[in-house]
Amino acid sequence: LNMAAELSRARRARESGYREDTLHSLDRVLELLDLTVRDSRWTGGARRELLRFREALGEFYGAAPMGEIDGYLRVLLRFHPATSAVQI
């Protein structure tokens, strides 16, 4: 959920034209993803999907101009049953 909150912050900052705040929030998401994939509870397919998500987010981070954040937020929310029904 912390990753989703940071992605939401990034989205709001981007919509408001605050590129530095957007990048800061995306940095935090990447940091949280790194910590998550190091956790031994994430194994097999779930870990691979998180790493794939991290790779895609990293490509987005380096893109100029940046695309839409909503798709990344939707994918991230699907990782947990409690958040998978959230509409963006």
Side-chain angles (χ1 to χ4, degrees):
L1 289 175
N2 288 337
M3 287 182 266
E6 287 296 335
L7 275 176
S8 289
R9 282 187 196 102
R11 181 178 63 173
R12 284 191 306 275
R14 184 178 181 281
E15 289 170 353
S16 298
Y18 298 115
R19 183 169 174 80
E20 187 175 321
D21 291 343
T22 302
L23 294 176
H24 178 74
S25 290
L26 292 174
D27 281 337
R28 182 68 178 143
V29 174
L30 292 170
E31 179 183 353
L32 291 169
L33 277 166
D34 289 343
L35 292 170
T36 301
V37 297
R38 288 185 192 135
D39 187 330
S40 61
R41 292 176 288 181
W42 290 92
T43 60
R47 184 173 185 273
R48 270 191 308 276
E49 290 303 315
L50 283 172
L51 288 169
R52 197 172 290 153
F53 179 77
R54 192 206 184 286
E55 182 180 350
L57 189 62
E59 289 175 6
F60 172 81
Y61 180 92
M66 288 185 174
E68 292 298 321
I69 294 174
D70 290 354
Y72 293 94
L73 186 54
R74 279 197 276 300
V75 169
L76 183 61
L77 290 173
R78 289 187 185 137
F79 274 95
H80 194 278
T83 59
S84 63
V86 173
Q87 296 295 317
I88 301 298

